[in-house]
Amino acid sequence: MSQQVANSAALSDIETRVVDDISVDEPWSLLEEFSELERVSGTEDEVRAAEYITEQLDEFGVKYDRYDPELYISQPHDASVRTLNREFEFGPVKTISFAASTTVSGKVEYVGSAGTDLLSQEDDAREPYTDVGDLNDKIALTAAGSLSIRATRILEEKGAIGVIAIHEHDREPHNGIATPIWGGAPRLDEADKIPNIPIVNVRKPDGAQLREWADSEEGLKVELETDLTTDWMECPVVVAEIEGSGDTDEFVLLHGHYDSWYVGITDNATGDAGLLELARVINNYGDELDRNLRVAWWPGHSTGRYAGSTWYADEFAHDLVENCVAQVNMDSPGAKGATEYADMSCWTPEAHALVGDAINDVTGAPYGENHPFRAGDYSFDNIGLTGFFMLSSNIPADVREENGWHPVGGCGGNSDAWHVSTDTLDKAGKEELVRDIRVYAVSLLRVLNADVLPFDHVRNADRLIEIVEEYDKEAGEAFDFGPTLAELYPLRDDIESFQEAAHDGDVTPAVANDTITGLARILTRLNLVRRTQFEQDPAVKREPFPRYSPARKFAFLEGDDRKFLQVQLKREQNGVIHELRQARDLLPEA
């Protein structure tokens, strides 16, 4: 396939050769194979998909390991809603992973929405449904749609015996997952966070009718029935290794999920095809790489809340801490009509120039920086890995609006594909897929072969300063973040001096790279993570610098709650200052 590179003069010799070697043939063959496989984790179709990947790796001469860990998976099978005091014919009804498998009946109460949308970067500081009262023995009807992850627990705590979520899709509701437990399997002391009530999703027209009846004088009574299997299941994890020529254990982790809802072509067969093509092509250049490339295909993304990548983060935690210089996620590339990288791609601040230059050089397309979502297979945030991509290219917003598509978190923004039965082969574009694979290839090579890692932690520090200044302003007299800023301002300047010295050759590459990676372990964690390095934050939306984000609650807290938050933030600030001083100690002396 002939496709013009926007700025070929900016590509190095190896980048040019790799880009030229990328073809649509092997990727499209995988899509055709996967278009016949419903790759739900724990099923034979998923195993067949893993075997296809390993067969191709064998053919390409790429070394790999296959693991078969037991993952905690929840497979939805069937669901129904039956009106008890009305006559109604429902369209498609679905339950979601980790809902309870049971039957309940009761009166329906409409509770509104959770108050945020899928792509929002800011949570309401208040909990959802603050104006909803006692729901004992009632079934909650909510317009939260796929936001039931955060909403369900609150409705359950208010006494709801079941939840009906109204989705924006007119034809069928999206598939989804209810648990906030990242990785599916909880710690023993968090097992109660898995929902204990049935949850069903209905399409928008059906939801509108249910709401009308629920709000009427007569009211609405329904019976919910859900059927799921939630259990430990063996699921293949495939990890390929392309060894560079350098005498180093350093590696870049390129990864994506291969399980799916239905046949899931643009979520994520296109990503699987891209991973395989990059493994095929880059394997031919191993003797020209300074670092190693690890390529991984995860199961358990959809029905296990990123269970495969979480298992890997747990199993290889110290290898990742000590040797992984970056993680790169490949999810939903190559959607037909995706022409820009504006509102779905994301990266940590220090990777901005790297990613932006790669997009510019390969495509010349518009792009925008997004704070990394607490989603995808970003199961390595707590470790403190620089990360880039997750989603990649997107269909422009005006085209999505023209098509009447509501916001979704994948498939290039095509809501008629994301987590529904119509994510089929026709949703992928050959030119779009090759272009996206090339963007990944160039950005990867610029890390794999960098003398000094191309990550700008001045930008990371600037972002942290911006966030803390914002929280300090919002907290007002209730809390003083000045001590944090007093550490960040000089740290930022010291990082700038270090980076200038490293790029001028006044710091050896080995020392510079150890410092850059060490800074990521601290600054990237502060930007993204609330918990400790070897724990997983819950799968709910996050704001930047999440340890400090509760400061936004001062706007409505009073009395003891206000003082309790002051105690919390005082302790958080003590920890943050300690970590910032550790970051300062990483910097080599001038």
Side-chain angles (χ1 to χ4, degrees):
M1 169 176 288
S2 174
Q3 193 175 62
Q4 189 71 30
V5 172
N7 185 11
S8 58
L11 303 188
S12 69
D13 177 62
I14 187 175
E15 290 167 5
T16 299
R17 286 180 283 138
V18 168
V19 162
D20 287 345
D21 286 353
I22 291 170
S23 162
V24 77
D25 297 340
E26 293 294 343
W28 209 259
S29 293
L30 181 145
L31 296 190
E32 290 174 338
E33 178 77 16
F34 281 20
S35 70
E36 303 295 325
L37 300 174
E38 294 196 4
R39 304 178 305 283
V40 176
S41 281
T43 66
E44 286 300 314
D45 273 6
E46 182 188 58
V47 173
R48 178 68 197 107
E51 290 173 345
Y52 177 87
I53 292 166
T54 58
E55 288 165 3
Q56 296 306 109
L57 292 172
D58 283 331
E59 182 177 325
F60 303 152
V62 179
K63 298 177 184 178
Y64 65 88
D65 290 303
R66 171 178 163 172
Y67 309 93
D68 290 275
E70 277 195 329
L71 306 178
Y72 197 52
I73 300 297
S74 182
Q75 300 170 336
H77 303 308
D78 199 9
S80 65
V81 181
R82 184 166 66 93
T83 52
L84 300 179
N85 62 334
R86 306 276 189 170
E87 293 292 328
F88 190 65
E89 187 74 26
F90 281 90
V93 176
K94 300 177 182 179
T95 188
I96 56 179
S97 292
F98 288 98
S101 185
T102 189
T103 302
V104 299
S105 58
K107 185 177 180 181
V108 175
E109 181 172 329
Y110 180 68
V111 296
S113 72
T116 56
D117 62 63
L118 276 168
L119 298 181
S120 171
Q121 288 304 291
E122 293 187 358
D123 278 337
D124 188 336
R126 299 174 187 266
E127 290 295 296
Y129 308 118
T130 54
D131 57 344
V132 175
D134 184 6
L135 293 173
N136 280 338
D137 298 322
K138 293 179 181 177
I139 292 171
L141 175 66
T142 177
S146 53
L147 289 179
S148 56
I149 299 164
R150 183 177 179 212
T152 301
R153 181 169 176 80
I154 294 168
L155 296 174
E156 186 176 0
E157 288 172 349
K158 289 177 178 287
I161 59 172
V163 172
I164 303 172
I166 305 168
H167 279 233
E168 284 294 304
H169 205 294
D170 287 336
R171 187 189 64 252
E172 63 174 301
H174 301 287
N175 285 69
I177 189 167
T179 177
I181 304 296
W182 193 280
R187 294 158 39 119
L188 178 61
D189 58 0
E190 293 184 335
D192 63 343
K193 292 186 178 180
I194 297 175
N196 196 36
I197 57 175
I199 304 162
V200 300
N201 294 340
V202 299
R203 60 182 185 161
K204 188 175 183 178
D206 293 352
Q209 181 61 79
L210 293 179
R211 178 181 176 181
E212 179 183 332
W213 284 337
D215 287 341
S216 69
E217 186 174 340
E218 180 183 345
L220 175 66
K221 294 181 180 180
V222 303
E223 178 187 81
L224 303 186
E225 185 172 3
T226 53
D227 180 23
L228 303 92
T229 299
T230 301
D231 206 347
W232 296 93
M233 305 180 194
E234 282 195 0
C235 303
V237 172
V238 179
V239 183
E241 188 84 25
I242 298 168
E243 295 181 0
S245 62
D247 182 20
T248 180
D249 292 324
E250 290 182 344
F251 66 92
V252 176
L253 177 64
L254 171 66
H255 60 98
H257 71 93
Y258 74 94
D259 67 306
S260 65
W261 295 115
Y262 308 101
V263 298
I265 292 299
T266 56
D267 186 12
N268 183 39
T270 49
D272 304 323
L275 295 175
L276 192 60
E277 180 68 355
L278 288 165
R280 179 187 76 85
V281 173
I282 295 178
N283 188 59
N284 297 326
Y285 295 90
D287 60 353
E288 298 183 51
L289 303 180
D290 293 336
R291 295 180 178 84
N292 307 317
L293 176 64
R294 199 171 290 181
V295 186
W297 289 261
W298 312 125
H301 170 102
S302 300
T303 53
R305 181 61 76 199
Y306 324 119
S309 55
T310 303
W311 171 84
Y312 194 83
D314 291 340
E315 193 72 14
F316 296 92
H318 296 290
D319 185 22
L320 290 161
V321 168
E322 294 164 11
N323 299 312
C324 187
V325 299
Q327 62 91 10
V328 186
N329 189 218
M330 198 170 197
D331 199 336
S332 295
K336 185 176 289 184
T339 59
E340 60 184 30
Y341 301 79
D343 61 16
M344 302 192 78
S345 54
C346 58
W347 46 83
T348 52
E350 69 271 22
H352 180 71
L354 167 76
V355 177
D357 288 348
I359 292 171
N360 271 333
D361 293 343
V362 175
T363 75
Y367 67 90
E369 180 181 15
N370 295 289
H371 183 69
F373 314 109
R374 184 59 178 157
D377 278 284
Y378 265 51
S379 299
F380 312 99
D381 292 343
N382 287 65
I383 287 173
L385 299 187
T386 292
F388 51 97
F389 293 121
M390 178 190 295
L391 308 172
S392 57
S393 60
N394 64 273
I395 300 162
D398 59 346
V399 175
R400 302 199 305 262
E401 184 176 350
E402 183 180 325
N403 287 330
W405 291 339
H406 53 274
V408 292
C411 301
N414 185 342
S415 64
D416 199 40
W418 184 76
H419 290 199
V420 290
S421 60
T422 49
D423 187 9
T424 44
L425 193 58
D426 59 299
K427 302 302 190 299
K430 291 185 176 181
E431 290 191 1
E432 293 90 339
L433 182 55
V434 169
R435 178 205 62 213
D436 285 352
I437 296 171
R438 287 175 170 176
V439 169
Y440 273 85
V442 170
S443 58
L444 283 167
L445 289 168
R446 290 178 179 179
V447 180
L448 292 168
N449 280 343
D451 190 33
V452 173
L453 288 167
F455 302 133
D456 179 7
H457 285 298
V458 170
R459 222 175 165 276
N460 216 345
D462 281 340
R463 181 66 178 127
L464 294 176
I465 289 169
E466 177 186 0
I467 298 161
V468 177
E469 287 178 340
E470 179 182 329
Y471 291 150
D472 192 52
K473 182 178 180 181
E474 292 197 35
E477 295 181 359
F479 194 81
D480 178 18
F481 286 106
T484 300
L485 293 169
E487 297 289 335
L488 276 170
Y489 293 141
L491 175 62
R492 183 256 182 226
D493 293 341
D494 288 347
I495 293 173
E496 184 174 44
S497 297
F498 152 70
Q499 289 184 173
E500 290 173 355
H503 289 288
D504 289 344
D506 296 332
V507 178
T508 66
V511 170
N513 291 330
D514 284 347
T515 304
I516 291 167
T517 301
L519 288 171
R521 300 295 183 265
I522 295 173
L523 302 184
T524 300
R525 292 190 69 257
L526 289 176
N527 186 26
L528 300 180
V529 171
R530 187 184 298 272
R531 290 186 170 179
T532 62
Q533 192 169 27
F534 299 109
E535 292 185 277
Q536 290 289 348
D537 283 3
V540 296
K541 289 187 179 182
R542 64 177 172 203
E543 295 180 77
F545 216 134
R547 290 163 68 176
Y548 282 2
S549 63
R552 297 178 62 223
K553 295 184 178 183
F554 281 124
F556 55 83
L557 290 181
E558 298 177 350
D560 285 348
D561 286 345
R562 190 176 181 87
K563 291 183 179 295
F564 294 158
L565 181 54
Q566 289 170 337
V567 171
Q568 174 182 330
L569 290 175
K570 175 64 175 178
R571 293 172 182 170
E572 291 287 9
Q573 183 159 249
N574 287 340
V576 167
I577 288 172
H578 177 67
E579 292 177 50
L580 292 174
R581 289 175 180 174
Q582 288 180 314
R584 172 87 60 88
D585 290 342
L586 291 173
L587 299 173
E589 293 184 9

